[in-house]
Amino acid sequence: MMAINFLGSMWLSRILTPAQIGVFSVAYVITGLLRTLREMGLGTYIVQEPELTDARMRTAFGVSLIVSAAGGLVVLALAIPAAQFYREPGIQTVLVVLGLNFFLVPFGATSMSLMRRNMRFMEIGLIETASALISTIVAVWLAHLGHGYMSLAWSSLVGTLVSVVGVIFFRPSHVPWKPALVEWRRILKVCGYLSGSSLVNYISYSASDLILGRMMTMSAVGYFNRAFGTAGVFSSVIARAMQQVGLPFFAKLHRENEDLRPAFVHATTLVGGLAIPFFAVLMVSAGNVIHLLFGPQWVRSIPLLQILCIASAVEALTYLTNQILSAKGQVQTQWRIDVLGLFVKFGLVIPAALYSLETVALAFVASSVIMNWVRFLALRQFIGIVARDLVTVLAKAAPITVCASTGPALIVFWWDSPRSEVINLMLIAMTAALGWFVAVAAGRHPIRAELVRAWANIRAPKS
């Protein structure tokens, strides 16, 4: 799915201008605020609820219908004021189309969460892949026809429709369609904090679009968004997959009264062994990546990407914190951490936006360092994590990072040729992969055992 989105992003970056992408980004963030409230943490509630009865499922569906409809109406009402606030008329049209998503989502969201609770990841993957493929095709087609930022808006609506149809197709037969509100107090007691936590976390994540759209230009939003999105490739693929699997897994361990510390350390070691080398290679080869994948009009994003790689590598140590806290039912703690993160992010980014985009990127690094420390303190309190655990993760990732990034660094600084960008990037990828595999095998990193186990499963005879 991520490969489809990334290829689509590459194609669209050569058709749309930074300003056009900036307009859509700002509008999408605005709807994202209400989208987060619409979800209300219902998905997390369904996954971690110890006793999920039909009445509670029906109530979750009923609450989702009401909140989604309200959210859609608010988005439509905000279209004109938001366009005036950002001094960009295009935001109004994009918001109207994106607002229609709210009226579709409830018919698939609760069933999708139940599928995730039951670990039906194959069906979820098929649904998400189909949605990504069709929405990408629509976006590229409309962009070629000259619809600009509206091509992204219409493709988002089509993607939502495909996802809902897919969920209905794979929907468990016993899931009730009839909505209810009989258990609304129990659900809102949990979802109130989850929804608030998700909202502030989303605002923090989208701080650059919200702030730069007002304090700078739509082109600045586009440049920063392209760098931020490229640095977020790892989070969108590996980390997102581990987070989706992590919550059901940690919740299951917690229900069985198992110690979560070993599972968290092991999972974080695996993430660190992938993420830290990845961001080191991406930082070294940022110029090659931006030039080849998105074209010369995005050169302004190169230094931003290099700085944001540092922030992303720092965050790799605590990717799974929210999944741990949700699994243990510590939604209030999660809420407090996310609120603090919001104030830290805005407190650093707003003054940074007065200077330059590079200063904004450095503010993201500072925010990541501060919030990593806060999340570590929470993990220490609830599952007994100690500093030595994270130091061990870094120590195991260090040799892999050196081996993976050495070859790319040599190519970029001593052999790089502007006449052969494709060859340069291919060599960078090949030497990085070779260095990574050699280091994993020689250093006996835990990833090695996972790869061996996966290979054994592939070769095992089918029964």
Side-chain angles (χ1 to χ4, degrees):
M1 182 188 70
M2 184 57 200
I4 296 170
N5 289 333
F6 195 68
L7 290 173
S9 177
M10 288 170 51
W11 202 335
L12 290 167
S13 295
R14 296 176 181 274
I15 304 173
L16 303 178
T17 66
Q20 288 173 328
I21 291 179
V23 170
F24 176 78
S25 297
V26 171
Y28 191 77
V29 167
I30 293 171
T31 60
L33 301 177
L34 290 163
R35 185 171 61 250
T36 303
L37 286 175
R38 178 204 68 205
E39 293 167 355
M40 291 190 62
L42 286 171
T44 301
Y45 166 77
I46 291 172
V47 171
Q48 61 90 37
E49 170 59 58
E51 299 178 8
L52 189 62
T53 63
D54 281 353
R56 288 169 188 166
M57 274 297 299
R58 290 174 57 201
T59 302
F61 181 44
V63 170
S64 180
L65 284 172
I66 293 172
V67 175
S68 294
L73 294 174
V74 171
V75 170
L76 297 178
L78 284 176
I80 295 177
Q84 293 173 341
F85 178 79
Y86 283 103
R87 301 181 294 273
E88 174 51 61
I91 289 178
Q92 176 184 347
T93 315
V94 175
L95 283 176
V96 170
V97 175
L98 293 180
L100 299 178
N101 284 296
F102 284 75
F103 301 98
L104 294 174
V105 169
F107 297 96
T110 51
S111 295
M112 177 74 87
S113 299
L114 183 61
M115 291 168 64
R116 186 165 287 117
R117 175 188 176 93
N118 295 331
M119 299 188 177
R120 295 177 58 186
F121 300 117
M122 179 66 73
E123 291 92 338
I124 292 173
L126 289 173
I127 293 169
E128 292 181 343
T129 300
S131 176
L133 178 61
I134 295 175
S135 65
T136 297
I137 291 173
V138 170
V140 172
W141 175 55
L142 292 177
H144 270 295
L145 293 178
H147 290 279
Y149 46 73
M150 289 306 300
S151 61
L152 298 173
W154 286 114
S155 71
S156 174
L157 182 61
V158 170
T160 299
L161 180 61
V162 172
S163 180
V164 170
V165 171
V167 170
I168 293 174
F169 179 80
F170 286 108
R171 180 177 172 273
S173 59
H174 67 278
V175 178
W177 271 116
K178 186 178 180 181
L181 294 174
V182 292
E183 293 271 9
W184 68 270
R185 289 184 178 85
R186 178 184 179 90
I187 290 178
L188 292 184
K189 180 180 179 181
V190 176
C191 291
Y193 283 105
L194 287 174
S195 178
S197 180
S198 297
L199 177 62
V200 297
N201 198 41
Y202 182 84
I203 296 174
S204 177
Y205 180 82
S206 307
S208 59
D209 290 343
L210 293 171
I211 295 171
L212 300 183
R214 176 64 181 179
M215 298 183 66
M216 292 187 173
T217 64
M218 290 299 159
S219 292
V221 174
Y223 289 129
F224 198 91
N225 187 273
R226 177 59 61 231
F228 190 71
T230 305
V233 167
F234 182 88
S235 298
S236 299
V237 184
I238 305 299
R240 183 170 178 264
M242 294 196 70
Q243 288 170 347
Q244 289 187 346
V245 175
L247 177 56
F249 177 68
F250 292 140
K252 181 175 181 293
L253 290 179
H254 182 62
R255 289 195 296 266
E256 296 171 353
N257 296 318
E258 296 286 341
D259 184 6
L260 295 184
R261 176 185 171 188
F264 174 83
V265 172
H266 180 70
T268 302
T269 302
L270 297 179
V271 172
L274 292 167
I276 298 175
F278 174 85
F279 289 118
V281 173
L282 183 58
M283 182 170 65
V284 167
S285 59
N288 301 78
V289 171
I290 294 295
H291 271 289
L292 181 62
L293 300 186
F294 306 118
Q297 67 172 330
W298 296 97
V299 171
R300 186 69 183 85
S301 298
I302 294 174
L304 309 178
L305 174 57
Q306 291 173 321
I307 298 171
L308 291 174
C309 281
I310 301 173
S312 298
V314 170
E315 291 174 356
L317 295 175
T318 56
Y319 268 142
L320 299 171
T321 302
N322 282 356
Q323 283 65 39
I324 288 287
L325 295 177
S326 293
K328 290 186 69 68
Q330 296 296 329
V331 291
Q332 294 185 33
T333 301
Q334 185 176 334
W335 157 259
R336 288 194 292 268
I337 291 174
D338 290 336
V339 169
L340 177 61
L342 176 65
F343 282 103
V344 169
K345 179 70 67 66
F346 272 77
L348 292 171
V349 171
I350 289 175
L354 297 173
Y355 296 93
S356 67
L357 287 174
E358 285 80 5
T359 310
V360 173
L362 288 171
F364 270 65
V365 176
S367 174
S368 296
V369 172
I370 294 170
M371 294 313 300
N372 247 27
W373 175 249
V374 173
R375 295 187 187 100
F376 164 73
L377 295 178
L379 291 168
R380 185 176 66 180
Q381 177 182 354
F382 291 108
I383 63 173
I385 290 294
V386 296
R388 183 175 64 254
D389 294 326
L390 299 185
V391 171
T392 300
V393 172
L394 290 173
K396 291 181 178 180
I400 303 177
T401 303
V402 172
C403 290
S405 59
T406 298
L410 292 174
I411 292 171
V412 169
F413 295 113
W414 279 285
W415 191 83
D416 196 27
S417 171
R419 294 176 297 176
S420 53
E421 290 182 349
V422 175
I423 295 176
N424 289 341
L425 199 56
M426 288 178 61
L427 287 174
I428 288 170
M430 290 169 59
T431 55
L434 178 61
W436 185 86
F437 275 109
V438 169
V440 166
R444 303 189 69 83
H445 191 277
I447 291 177
R448 180 177 181 271
E450 297 296 329
L451 293 175
V452 170
R453 185 179 300 111
W455 178 247
N457 291 335
I458 292 173
R459 296 192 60 186
K462 305 295 182 183
S463 56

